[in-house]
Amino acid sequence: MPAPLEQRRALLTPIPGPRSRELMERKLSAVASGVGTTMPVFAAQAGGGVVLDVDGNSLIDLGSGIAVTTIGNSAPRVVAAVQEQVEYFTHTCFMITPYAGYVQVAEALNELTPGDHDKRTALFNSGAEAVENAVKIARAYTHKSAVVAFDHAYHGRTNLTMAMTAKSMPYKSGFGPFAPEVYRAPLSYPYRDGKEMDGERAARRAIDVIEKQVGAANLAAVVIEPIQGEGGFIVPADGFLPALVSWCRANNVVFIADEVQSGIARTGAWFASEHFGIVPDLVVTAKGLAGGMPLSAVTGRTEIMDAAHGGGLGGTYGGNPVACAAALGAIETITDEGLLDRAVELGRVMLPRLHRLQAEDSRIGDVRGLGAMIAVELVHRDTTDPDPDLARLVASAAHRQGVILLTCGTYGNVLRLLPPLSISDALLEEALDVLADILAETDERQPQVSIDQEATA
Ligand code: PMP
């Protein structure tokens, strides 16, 4: 068993160090180049709020492996549950010889997802696979085929979910033709919509597009991330989501909340849908569900979930017993350790600090998000024009200074802060100090400091 990780940022070598460089060489000659990496370093161990690399550098984790290790890496209950399960059996296939863990995860999700109606759950492996299955279920229920997704949406990299994802490069370009019957509606994006476009108007705009270009008679499902992930952590204006839900209900259209990134305690609630007072027909979960093990789910109204015929849903590995054991450990951790509150607290550490930075720096166009899902949208000074170069520069400077920082957004100009809920306030503050320093150093009004020299000095 590895020694407990010291919770500190420590750079023993330049980033990347010699072992990471060597592994990167091997990666380049062994791994398909389409599989990119954000960080130039290879991981050796991770936990709490840090990732230790193979050269002994300890990095502050603001990414949680893209919002997956919400309860922290190798969280004790997940480790114990996984260890115990692998000793008994690693796989039987739930469709062949079922096991209790799968049923327990389904029961937990039926309980935790919004609404107290009767629910059923089906388990899968990845977020994209679960989104695809939610669409299959909605089509089986409604006997209709069209699907509406939104501007800036991200739903995955499989064929149907590529069609549903908005951004061409890098997710779709060159990989078509895409699945048919997928239509796109405008989102509520308060920073870019302007004040007069409140949530209800934005919903009206979207519904107009849907009614004119698709027609409720053809539409099986509206699929939306209640807070968008890759698209830029866009929080829709109040009233937008409830109006869409009402329209769906009135028109026999299944409302599917893709909570793959925003769900499972990330925003300070079990599901981001709760912040908007909506009860989706189907909820898609993945990422944070199983503490880093691959597991995803579709949970929703029994009459909809049960519309698919027997044998129509499933897959060899879906709801793998080790992943289910991990999920039960993760859910218990969130409940017993009060992690919903912890997510709120982390938001209280990040937001005021970032708002102060914004007040002094007009390149910070918008600071938004809920709980431990916070974004900083960067723009050219005194405009709202996206500045992806600045986002790239800030993120790579942060990496060299020992902070794992991710970007996102249709324009690539958004920094996203997704710390594990196991990070200490002190480490999070330190990461914010690094971010503030980098922003000051990249400010052309300040004396220029070369980030390359700075980082490797
Ligand atoms: N939906 C959303 C909202 C996501 O953020 C992601 C992953 N970033 C997916 C779907 C796809 O999940 P996966 O990568 O597990 O297929």
Side-chain angles (χ1 to χ4, degrees), residues 66 126-129 131 154-156 225 229-230 258 260-261 286-287:
I66 322 189
S126 68
E129 192 189 356
V131 171
Y154 183 90
H155 297 291
E225 302 152 82
E230 317 292 304
D258 178 348
V260 167
Q261 191 151 165
K287 292 192 185 278

Side-chain angles (χ1 to χ4, degrees), residues 228-278:
Q228 275 194 340
E230 317 292 304
F233 284 21
I234 302 165
V235 184
D238 283 346
F240 178 72
L241 292 171
L244 284 180
V245 171
S246 307
W247 183 86
C248 285
R249 232 108 308 138
N251 288 281
N252 185 33
V253 172
V254 177
F255 183 92
I256 302 174
D258 178 348
E259 292 247 21
V260 167
Q261 191 151 165
S262 60
I264 318 287
R266 176 51 59 189
T267 65
W270 277 102
F271 296 94
S273 293
E274 295 168 47
H275 297 295
F276 305 99
I278 59 165

